[in-house]
Amino acid sequence: MKTKHDLIQWLEAERNQFTHMADQIWAYSEVAWREFRSSKLQADFLADEGFHITWDIAGINTSFVAQWGAGRPIIGFAGEYDALAGLSQTTQPYQEPRAGVEAGHACGHNLLGTGCLAAAVAVTQWLQATGTKGTVRYYGCPAEERTSGKTFMARAGAFDDLDAAFNFHPDRMNMPSKGTNVGVYDLTFRFHGRAAHAGGSPHRGRSALDAVELMNVGVNYLREHVTEKVRMHYVITHGGNLPNVVPAEAEVWYFLRALEREELDQVAERVNKIAQGAALMTETTMEGMFNGACSSVLNNHYLADLQYSAMELVGPIEFTEEERAYAQQISDAYPEENARDLFKDMEVPPSIRERMADLQQQPLLAENFQAMDERRVATGSTDVGDLSWIAPLSMLRTACFATRASGHSWGIAATSGMSIGHKGMMHAAKIMAVAALDLYADPRHLQRARQEFGAATRDRPYESPIPDTVRPPRYEDPGGS
Ligand SMILES: [Zn+2]
């Protein structure tokens, strides 16, 4: 194996073991912090491939680092494997939960982790065959859906000596990104009141649920006075037990999002004041908890361009008639405007813009859409952000989902468990592996990427958004290990 074509061919020849792994992780559908079987499956595989495994990064027992080779450069691939609660789905192209399974891979992290792993393994094959020196790392990163697995790993120094890193997220089109994602704070507000008979003596009670509701009303009024990209969303995680008891305990769980840390801090401070106000109004007490956080994403443009060149070399994904029909059925189940939304805020080449109306009608964009996302500020978040402020990083997106399928919904889980997702995942593995090969083969590429990174971070050294005192949750493996 000498050339980029050899590398691409190796991945194609070995694809079955990787698609099999992605399917197993899809079947496990383990949620954040409890990805015991998924992480073990990957770590065992990498150990067999000659990687050295270190478990329990940052005190998280489903996180690991797998390392192969020696010396510089050290290139990392950041994988994920957590599923989403409540989004169980079979591989049918219509909504159908899996019997006896509660969670589902409705963000395609089974593909994300395995695609990054496949790229890492392929690169070791090439390094070995060519006698090139360097270190390959695969990061088994838990709890991306709680937006803080990598943030805790970053705080523990796991990414500090990386020269560069790659990550890919399944999507609806093939596209390295120069855009960014907003940061997030994950906060819980718990109110303590006084129980009383809600019929007989309600005047003796102090309702913690009232406090939660008043807090939410306050935050909903705050919406008018934040900037456009700020997001504030909540779920009530406890609201009492019985209507005839004034609830003494209630709890609401918030995600706050903004692009800049400063703005996020300001919004968090105002939300905190609203919570205090709600406690004052209801004569309850309030306890605020900081659960986790992640930073915005700093995508390295030089690495994105390398990935773009690699994408052109690999060529588009080809889907079968059967796959198109399958994706069409999923797309038809979602509103038409979902397709228009995909291009929102995105800078696309004029040639693509002209064909936009036509592209939006297609169930799978991959065959036609290979582009660069130039400047979009996405209002979802990813803990890849924290890694991106420590080492030059490029996020790649490839088509694994039907065009109109909404994020975090059943249609995403369906294609993530079958051939459409497999093809998108292998596509990503090839592109990342080829781009990484460039970095190992010619130090000038890495120099350019690091120059850009140095300029972008000179006045903004990485600072963890998670306070020192906050620890990640830890669960014991129910299966034992
Ligand atoms: Zn995701």
Side-chain angles (χ1 to χ4, degrees):
M1 189 201 289
K2 295 279 179 212
T3 67
K4 291 177 178 174
H5 281 288
D6 296 340
L7 187 64
I8 295 165
Q9 262 163 22
W10 185 87
L11 275 163
E12 198 47 42
E14 299 293 325
R15 75 192 305 277
N16 284 351
Q17 54 183 334
F18 299 120
T19 59
H20 182 67
M21 175 185 284
D23 285 347
Q24 268 187 283
I25 295 173
W26 184 91
Y28 294 155
S29 282
E30 295 172 300
V31 298
W33 312 118
R34 303 172 207 216
E35 311 92 333
F36 298 106
R37 288 187 288 175
S38 306
S39 56
K40 187 171 185 310
L41 180 70
Q42 291 202 334
D44 286 351
F45 181 93
L46 289 166
D48 284 346
E49 292 292 325
F51 282 74
H52 177 262
I53 314 292
T54 309
W55 277 101
D56 216 326
I57 311 302
I60 309 167
N61 50 4
T62 54
S63 72
F64 68 93
V65 176
Q67 176 162 311
W68 186 97
R72 297 239 167 222
I74 308 173
I75 309 296
F77 297 87
E80 299 164 13
Y81 26 64
D82 59 328
L84 284 154
L87 284 163
S88 171
Q89 168 67 27
T90 65
T91 53
Q92 294 302 322
Y94 45 83
Q95 189 165 9
E96 182 186 65
R98 287 166 69 200
V101 179
E102 200 259 332
H105 270 288
C107 203
H109 292 184
N110 61 314
L111 305 170
L112 192 168
T114 310
C116 288
L117 176 144
V121 175
V123 170
T124 67
Q125 296 289 321
W126 179 84
L127 289 170
Q128 203 159 29
T130 56
T132 310
K133 113 180 152 45
T135 302
V136 181
R137 286 228 187 108
Y138 173 81
Y139 288 89
C141 307
E144 195 283 331
E145 294 297 355
R146 292 294 303 276
T147 66
S148 40
K150 288 183 208 63
T151 322
F152 284 113
M153 292 169 78
R155 194 181 66 177
F159 307 120
D160 283 356
D161 61 348
L162 278 179
D163 288 303
F166 293 99
N167 168 264
F168 117 83
H169 204 296
D171 207 308
R172 296 157 195 82
M173 52 193 95
N174 302 321
M175 189 175 63
S177 179
K178 292 183 177 175
T180 184
N181 290 65
V182 298
V184 64
Y185 282 173
D186 171 342
L187 310 168
T188 299
F189 298 88
R190 200 173 285 161
F191 292 88
H192 309 283
R194 199 160 68 218
H197 194 296
S201 51
H203 54 288
R204 297 213 181 102
R206 296 293 179 267
S207 171
L209 177 60
D210 287 357
V212 162
E213 291 194 83
L214 287 165
M215 174 182 174
N216 294 344
V217 168
V219 172
N220 288 330
Y221 272 90
L222 177 62
R223 279 183 208 288
E224 192 190 342
H225 310 288
V226 294
T227 59
E228 198 198 341
K229 298 285 182 189
V230 168
R231 295 285 187 275
M232 303 178 287
H233 21 250
Y234 58 83
V235 288
I236 297 176
T237 39
H238 184 61
N241 301 310
L242 213 58
N244 67 352
V245 179
V246 174
E249 300 294 329
E251 186 184 271
V252 60
W253 181 18
Y254 270 85
F255 274 17
L256 307 177
R257 302 181 201 252
L259 182 59
E260 299 292 342
R261 180 79 51 82
E262 203 186 341
E263 185 168 26
L264 200 44
D265 282 334
Q266 284 165 3
V267 171
E269 199 186 320
R270 296 194 69 181
V271 168
N272 202 49
K273 282 180 182 165
I274 289 169
Q276 288 169 6
L280 188 66
M281 280 189 278
T282 52
E283 288 189 353
T284 57
T285 57
M286 186 275 290
E287 200 188 335
M289 272 152 294
F290 198 108
N291 304 314
C294 71
S295 305
S296 62
V297 177
L298 176 68
N299 265 308
N300 190 277
H301 291 204
Y302 189 80
L303 290 182
D305 286 334
L306 272 191
Q307 297 223 76
Y308 193 80
S309 304
M311 192 166 80
E312 290 191 312
L313 182 76
V314 172
I317 307 174
E318 280 167 28
F319 289 107
T320 63
E321 274 312 315
E322 215 179 352
E323 286 163 342
R324 272 186 220 108
Y326 178 101
Q328 187 69 59
Q329 198 178 332
I330 291 180
S331 261
D332 287 344
Y334 288 89
E336 233 173 283
E337 58 261 31
N338 278 14
R340 286 196 294 276
D341 269 4
L342 284 181
F343 301 99
K344 200 173 51 136
D345 301 334
M346 202 184 287
E347 209 167 80
V348 292
S351 59
I352 286 176
R353 193 159 288 283
E354 279 167 25
R355 288 157 50 219
M356 213 88 102
D358 166 51
L359 287 173
Q360 284 166 2
Q361 299 307 316
Q362 302 193 20
L364 288 163
L365 283 171
E367 287 162 296
N368 308 282
F369 199 99
Q370 304 239 96
M372 176 75 80
D373 177 10
E374 291 282 354
R375 60 162 190 203
R376 185 166 57 149
V377 179
T379 46
S381 307
T382 167
D383 58 13
V384 173
D386 291 78
L387 165 51
S388 76
W389 290 95
I390 298 171
L393 168 123
S394 178
M395 268 188 94
L396 171 70
R397 296 177 175 272
T398 64
C400 301
F401 309 149
T403 304
R404 282 195 222 154
S406 297
H408 291 186
S409 75
W410 66 267
I412 302 280
T415 52
S416 294
M418 48 79 74
S419 62
I420 294 172
H422 296 161
K423 285 185 177 176
M425 174 184 89
M426 293 312 296
H427 195 61
K430 290 170 190 170
I431 295 167
M432 287 187 288
V434 168
L437 183 154
D438 277 332
L439 298 184
Y440 287 105
D442 184 350
R444 283 172 300 183
H445 289 303
L446 196 53
Q447 262 166 27
R448 295 276 301 275
R450 292 207 63 91
Q451 255 164 24
E452 180 192 322
F453 176 77
T457 56
R458 192 165 300 130
D459 302 319
R460 296 181 63 176
Y462 176 68
E463 231 180 88
S464 176
I466 303 181
D468 287 347
T469 50
V470 177
R471 296 269 152 265
R474 192 177 172 98
Y475 298 90
E476 286 317 311
D477 180 359
S481 54

